[in-house]
Amino acid sequence: MANLNESFQGFHTQNWAQAINEHEQSGTNYVIATLLGTNGSTPRGTGSKMVISGEHIYDTLGGGHLEYVVIEKARELLAKGEATQVIEQFNLGANLGQCCGGAATVMLECMQCERFTLDIYGAGHVAQALIGILAQLPMRIRWIDSRADVFPQSIPNNVIKVVDEEPTEQVKRAPKANNYLILTHNHQLDFALTQAIIKRADANWLGVIGSDTKAKRFKQRLAHRDFTTEQIKQMTCPVGLENVTGKLPMEVAISISGQLIGLYQAMQTHAPKRQGVQWRALKNALISTTQEEVDA
């Protein structure tokens, strides 16, 4: 039951149409789960929808084990980092142990918002200065720390605050081709995160704050753990623009932000254009249908 409860963390009361708008604006990948058909007794009727992201859940298909399995499958799709559509058949009685005993067919549509994604580990002074800059840019950011009390009260709309006693676990939940910036207060944690990210072998960029001495030490430790030269090259340390120096938090933040801006502009230049016209038409049709149901 612990896993079931964990899957429902981050539940929101907004309807799925509002959730789509929020995720499109923030550039957060998400899954639309739609109940296509039912047979027998089921918690909700055909056409019911919910939206699932890596951190949040909106609306409902009726709760219970069906919803738990749908959320798990949705997050498996999100972890693959690909836009896709799958249809799953669920027998509520035999397979899921729900007393209603019917069957449900659910369509899962994984929507990939083509925005620059960045995980920032550490919520200290440099990170807080940096967030103020990055909040004004077209980036989707997860801001991760084990200490809930170090985060500011106000979090920008394009930033998701994640409090986790084991920050390295969050590496598993990052999308493919993600960007990582390690700014924690603990060198050992920095190294553990660096190892975990390199082992994923799919990072677009990995930056670690520190001096040349720290960079040399990390490279030696990685080599002693049998990481190859090519793997070690994935780490950028120190981070920031070489011609923007200074040790004040804002000076460091500006230097790092310049480097990140260069990365996301390069991504925009080389990435193929998303088929946004078709998706916007679909999204508008879905939202329009929901509004008609509400008005009725």
Side-chain angles (χ1 to χ4, degrees):
M1 247 350 211
N3 289 337
L4 178 60
N5 292 334
E6 181 182 348
S7 290
F8 281 84
Q9 288 179 359
F11 179 80
H12 294 265
T13 57
Q14 294 100 315
N15 66 43
W16 60 268
Q18 292 170 324
I20 288 175
N21 276 330
E22 289 183 11
H23 286 72
E24 286 289 315
Q25 290 171 10
S26 66
T28 305
N29 299 336
Y30 61 96
V31 170
I32 305 172
T34 305
L35 195 56
L36 292 182
T38 63
N39 183 19
S41 178
T42 55
R44 294 195 71 188
T46 300
S48 299
K49 300 179 187 293
M50 68 184 298
V51 168
I52 304 110
S53 70
E55 307 291 338
H56 301 287
I57 305 159
Y58 302 80
D59 224 318
T60 180
L61 296 184
H65 205 176
L66 169 64
E67 193 158 289
Y68 163 67
V69 174
V70 167
I71 292 167
E72 291 295 299
K73 288 188 175 294
R75 287 181 172 155
E76 288 175 8
L77 294 177
L78 287 168
K80 292 179 180 178
E82 300 174 358
T84 187
Q85 181 184 90
V86 299
I87 295 176
E88 299 278 351
Q89 181 78 32
F90 301 99
N91 187 323
L92 274 61
N95 296 336
L96 301 183
Q98 291 189 210
C99 60
C100 45
T105 302
V106 179
M107 178 172 64
L108 299 169
E109 299 169 277
C110 187
M111 303 298 181
Q112 299 290 305
C113 298
E114 290 186 1
R115 290 220 183 172
F116 186 89
T117 60
L118 172 66
D119 284 1
I120 298 178
Y121 288 87
H125 296 302
V126 171
Q128 295 198 28
L130 182 62
I131 286 290
I133 301 170
L134 301 184
Q136 305 172 60
L137 298 171
M139 298 181 179
R140 184 188 70 80
I141 301 165
R142 291 199 312 153
W143 194 8
I144 304 158
D145 202 297
S146 60
R147 306 162 297 168
D149 59 339
V150 299
F151 288 97
Q153 289 187 344
S154 178
I155 302 293
N157 291 334
N158 65 332
V159 177
I160 298 172
K161 181 182 76 173
V162 180
V163 179
D164 194 329
E165 292 183 359
E166 299 292 339
T168 53
E169 290 297 307
Q170 289 299 320
V171 175
K172 301 173 184 177
R173 304 189 70 170
K176 288 184 178 180
N178 191 44
N179 299 277
Y180 303 86
L181 178 60
I182 300 175
L183 305 172
T184 85
H185 61 293
N186 185 310
H187 280 211
Q188 187 56 40
L189 176 57
D190 286 356
F191 186 72
L193 288 165
T194 299
Q195 286 190 98
I197 293 164
I198 291 176
K199 285 179 180 178
R200 275 193 53 141
D202 63 356
N204 180 60
W205 180 80
L206 165 60
V208 182
I209 195 169
S211 62
D212 290 329
T213 300
K214 179 179 177 179
K216 182 178 180 180
R217 185 179 300 119
F218 272 31
K219 290 174 182 178
Q220 289 174 341
R221 293 179 66 185
L222 289 167
H224 290 158
R225 286 163 174 76
D226 296 326
F227 285 87
T228 67
T229 301
E230 288 302 311
Q231 287 177 308
I232 295 171
K233 284 182 180 178
Q234 293 179 36
M235 179 186 69
T236 298
C237 182
V239 287
L241 300 176
E242 292 183 1
N243 60 337
V244 180
T245 60
K247 296 183 179 180
L248 293 175
M250 183 53 72
E251 291 173 331
V252 178
I254 289 172
S255 180
I256 295 172
S257 65
Q259 191 172 34
L260 291 171
I261 288 169
L263 286 168
Y264 95 72
Q265 288 181 343
M267 184 189 79
Q268 290 178 332
T269 300
H270 296 102
K273 291 185 178 180
R274 183 184 180 197
Q275 295 178 343
V277 174
Q278 291 136 328
W279 164 237
R280 279 195 296 272
L282 173 60
K283 180 186 74 171
N284 291 336
L286 289 170
I287 294 174
S288 175
T289 301
T290 299
Q291 188 58 52
E292 290 174 2
E293 293 172 355
V294 171
D295 293 341

